[in-house]
Amino acid sequence: MLDQGAPPHNRRTTVPLSTSARLMRRKPVERLVAEGGQGEGGTLRRSLGLWQLTMISIGATLGTGIFVVLGEAVPKAGPAVTLSFAIAGLTALFSALSYAELAGTIPVSGSSYSYAYATMGELIAWICGWCLVLEYGVSVAAVAVGWGEYLNELLKGTIGVTIPAALSAPPGDGGIFNLPALVVVLLAMVFLLGGAKESARANTVMVCVKIAALVLFCAIGIQGFRSGNYEHFMPLGMAGVSAAGATLFFSYIGFDAASTAGEEAKNAQRDLPRAIMLSLVIVTALYVLVAAVAVGAKPWRRFNDSEAALAQIMREVTGQTFWGTLLAFCAVIAIASVVLTVLYGQTRILFAMSRDGLVPKVFARVHPKTGAPRANTVIVSLFCGVLDATSIGTLFAFALVNVAVVVLRRTRPAMHRTFRVPLSPVLPVLGFAFCVWMMGSLSAVTWVVFGVWMAVGLVFYFVYGYRRSRLATDDGLATDDGPATADSLATAEK
């Protein structure tokens, strides 16, 4: 009960915020950083340095577009698929600059979800987080399917048998159940349950194998290079180039995965920006080089959506099965690192959303012995093991990150930043525009799936997250000047 005799300036009120104000409530940067690593029953362990963070970023990026999606992208763009990789890389570069600035300023597990929460409010943050769930789940599922294709290539070249299509092809391609995809996801889950440091060690080994495999491919594939394969460089026009680029774009998810390690990095503000930029340069260069060699060694009309295109090229160029089998072996190991690191990123984003009260608390439970969110990891692994969809969520989330940089520059200009996007706001605006352009190149079916996914997410938010949000609880707290807000609570905490 209020003290009726108290001076007016000391009276406390509990007038609730309006619905629109609650949807736009922002979580202060200081609070996001202060809560870093804190989960239900334990805390995440800071054990990752610059080398491990860079390997996580490369591990989540390098391999997907080359080992798996190249066979799907070439028929869309022809020899100009090299240009598609370059455009996708340029789009990713603009967004990577924004990621680097925000990762150094807000080094937390939530990645673009947390950046949106600090700059654009809870509803936009939820939408971004929901897109990330789709983005990471789809990436894991797509790569896991490609892993099964290379596993069949390996089995075929070693023991002469393959897994039946009913158990190795996606349901949409005549399969009943994709057993290899589920197996590689479960193997990644086992590594993740051991903790971030142990997972990073395994990923580093796999990344080294992956880079060695791609260098080997270039050394052998260049022997079959035919300049005539580059005639009619852009047979399907710029529309084909942009469509292939949009298909390949989710291959650049890696630096987003690195940013999700913000609460497990030893020196996140210094190392995250460096890891993001270094990994993007390395990956883009290798993507363009390998694609150029692949198209030069095999006419583009013969790629026919093969998931194991590189192994087939090796076999055709050498006339021997050994080299193709060796590449398939390397790819089986290499692609597993993509599944491992992307699955890691998915669990950490849900960890951050759970800590904020927007998804059930089970996702924020940390095992005290390993410092890993075990229940979260198991649930996400099972979900990704049976998922197959699209990559539009990647572009949407990246677009929001570019907006977040501009907003935070305007609202918190004096905040310390270990990395700053050059020519801001020009480059963030270009990053946003490129993402929107590539989204427009995706099919109508993709947009329908995306719309349904977003509708389901909004229903979940208003039924669950809107009332259980930790900021919603804080809004009920009294302040001397009226209803509590996120920013007023941050000031009070100081």
Side-chain angles (χ1 to χ4, degrees), residues 201-276:
R201 287 175 178 170
N203 173 66
T204 298
V205 173
M206 290 188 280
V207 168
C208 291
V209 171
K210 176 185 319 193
I211 293 175
L214 292 177
V215 171
L216 174 65
F217 170 80
C218 290
I220 294 179
I222 197 69
Q223 300 175 29
F225 190 91
R226 300 290 182 272
S227 60
N229 290 338
Y230 275 91
E231 293 181 359
H232 308 294
F233 180 71
M234 201 181 294
L236 302 175
M238 196 61 196
V241 173
S242 61
T247 300
L248 294 166
F249 189 80
F250 86 96
S251 305
Y252 289 90
I253 192 177
F255 57 83
D256 186 282
S259 70
T260 65
E263 296 176 22
E264 291 162 286
K266 295 176 182 178
N267 191 340
Q269 291 183 312
R270 182 196 67 186
D271 292 341
L272 279 177
R274 296 178 180 180
I276 289 171

Side-chain angles (χ1 to χ4, degrees), residues 225-446:
F225 190 91
R226 300 290 182 272
S227 60
N229 290 338
Y230 275 91
E231 293 181 359
H232 308 294
F233 180 71
M234 201 181 294
L236 302 175
M238 196 61 196
V241 173
S242 61
T247 300
L248 294 166
F249 189 80
F250 86 96
S251 305
Y252 289 90
I253 192 177
F255 57 83
D256 186 282
S259 70
T260 65
E263 296 176 22
E264 291 162 286
K266 295 176 182 178
N267 191 340
Q269 291 183 312
R270 182 196 67 186
D271 292 341
L272 279 177
R274 296 178 180 180
I276 289 171
M277 299 310 301
L278 180 60
S279 63
L280 182 62
V281 171
I282 293 172
V283 166
T284 302
L286 280 171
Y287 271 169
V288 173
L289 177 62
V290 173
V293 172
V295 175
K298 183 174 182 176
W300 70 272
R301 287 188 176 87
R302 292 176 48 206
F303 273 78
N304 61 25
D305 293 341
S306 171
E307 297 278 1
L310 298 191
Q312 294 177 4
I313 292 173
M314 292 274 278
R315 188 165 55 247
E316 292 172 4
V317 169
T318 62
Q320 303 175 8
T321 61
F322 171 77
W323 294 108
T325 302
L326 177 61
L327 185 72
F329 170 75
C330 294
V332 166
I333 297 175
I335 295 174
S337 74
V338 182
V339 176
L340 174 66
T341 49
V342 174
L343 196 63
Y344 167 84
Q346 173 82 96
T347 60
R348 270 42 180 188
I349 288 169
L350 283 171
F351 173 85
M353 295 178 72
S354 177
R355 185 172 56 204
D356 290 334
L358 300 183
V359 297
K361 290 183 178 181
V362 64
F363 291 101
R365 292 178 185 167
V366 177
H367 193 274
K369 183 178 180 181
T370 63
R374 281 193 168 182
N376 181 345
T377 301
V378 172
I379 294 171
V380 170
S381 298
L382 294 177
F383 170 74
C384 292
V386 297
L387 181 66
D388 186 18
T390 181
S391 63
I392 191 171
T394 309
L395 288 163
F396 187 84
F398 282 19
L400 288 181
V401 170
N402 286 289
V403 174
V405 166
V406 177
V407 172
L408 197 61
R409 285 280 191 98
R410 293 181 63 87
T411 57
R412 302 291 297 275
M415 178 176 290
H416 175 68
R417 292 167 169 83
T418 56
F419 177 87
R420 298 177 70 91
V421 178
L423 302 177
S424 180
V426 176
L427 292 187
V429 169
L430 284 175
F432 176 84
F434 268 71
C435 288
V436 172
W437 172 57
M438 298 191 76
M439 288 174 70
S441 300
L442 296 170
S443 66
V445 174
T446 296

Side-chain angles (χ1 to χ4, degrees), residues 126 130 448-462:
W126 167 263
W130 193 245
V448 170
V449 172
F450 182 65
V452 171
W453 177 260
M454 295 308 301
V456 172
L458 288 173
V459 169
F460 186 91
Y461 170 72
F462 283 107

Side-chain angles (χ1 to χ4, degrees), residues 36-46 263 351 366-368 370-372:
Q38 299 177 18
E40 295 287 331
T43 58
L44 300 178
R45 296 176 180 174
R46 293 192 176 275
E263 296 176 22
F351 173 85
V366 177
H367 193 274
T370 63

